[in-house]
Amino acid sequence: NGLLPHSDNTPYYWGRGVGWVAAGLTEALTTMKKDHPMYNDIMGYYKKLMAGLLPLQAESGLWHQLLDYPDSYEETSCTGMFTYAYIVGIKNGWLDAKTYGPAARRGWLALTEKINENGEISDVCVGTNEMQGAEAYLQRERRTGDFHGQAPVLWCANALMQ
């Protein structure tokens, strides 16, 4: 499915950890020349990850703190990173707009609902090192205005305006 566990020692798909992969692949592909020897491999993995994330998006448009735990809370930093990766992929023709456009739109609209009157985004998981057991991840605190969530929303807005 393209998802990576948080670490070699933990079998959990932590949203923001996978989000960094999605955002990083997107950034690499936007700067890498198509004739680079790794371009096709990176593009293939990017597309596999984007396809793997699609069925994990919640009805609200957000993704969960633990991606494959639908009872975990809906988290905004990973949602911003995934939405950003979808927007850039669609705009660059890497992803089919009919398939991925609805997920990007739902993600963006859900994120805008999480921005308060001070411009702070809510439901951002605090920084998370490798944790032992799913319950430890599920109990991670959520914050409003944490920069882990602010930046991905700005990346989305910038990508939409380009």
Side-chain angles (χ1 to χ4, degrees), residues 60-120:
S60 68
L62 299 166
W63 276 266
H64 292 272
Q65 199 265 27
L66 282 182
L67 295 174
D68 58 342
Y69 280 64
D71 292 336
S72 67
Y73 65 82
E74 295 177 346
E75 204 274 337
T76 52
S77 67
C78 71
T79 296
M81 292 174 169
F82 302 148
T83 301
Y84 166 73
Y86 282 135
I87 293 166
V88 173
I90 293 164
K91 286 192 162 204
N92 282 290
W94 308 332
L95 298 175
D96 177 64
K98 285 185 180 180
T99 302
Y100 295 96
R105 178 175 167 70
R106 286 192 355 255
W108 173 248
L109 292 175
L111 287 170
T112 64
E113 293 294 319
K114 297 290 187 172
I115 301 171
N116 70 19
E117 64 279 353
N118 296 320
E120 300 168 319

Side-chain angles (χ1 to χ4, degrees), residues 1-4 13 18 22 44-58 63 67-68 82 86 95 99-100 103:
N1 61 12
L3 302 177
L4 294 171
Y13 301 122
V18 178
Y45 184 73
Y46 164 84
K47 288 182 176 182
K48 183 177 183 178
L49 177 58
M50 296 298 98
L53 290 168
L54 203 57
L56 299 174
Q57 188 178 31
W63 276 266
L67 295 174
D68 58 342
F82 302 148
Y86 282 135
L95 298 175
T99 302
Y100 295 96

Side-chain angles (χ1 to χ4, degrees), residues 7-8 12 14 19-20 30 36-37 39 47 61 74 90 95 103-104 106 113 121 131 145:
S7 76
D8 290 338
Y12 309 108
W14 179 52
W20 281 117
T30 60
H36 187 283
Y39 182 87
K47 288 182 176 182
E74 295 177 346
I90 293 164
L95 298 175
R106 286 192 355 255
E113 293 294 319
I121 190 159
M131 308 289 292

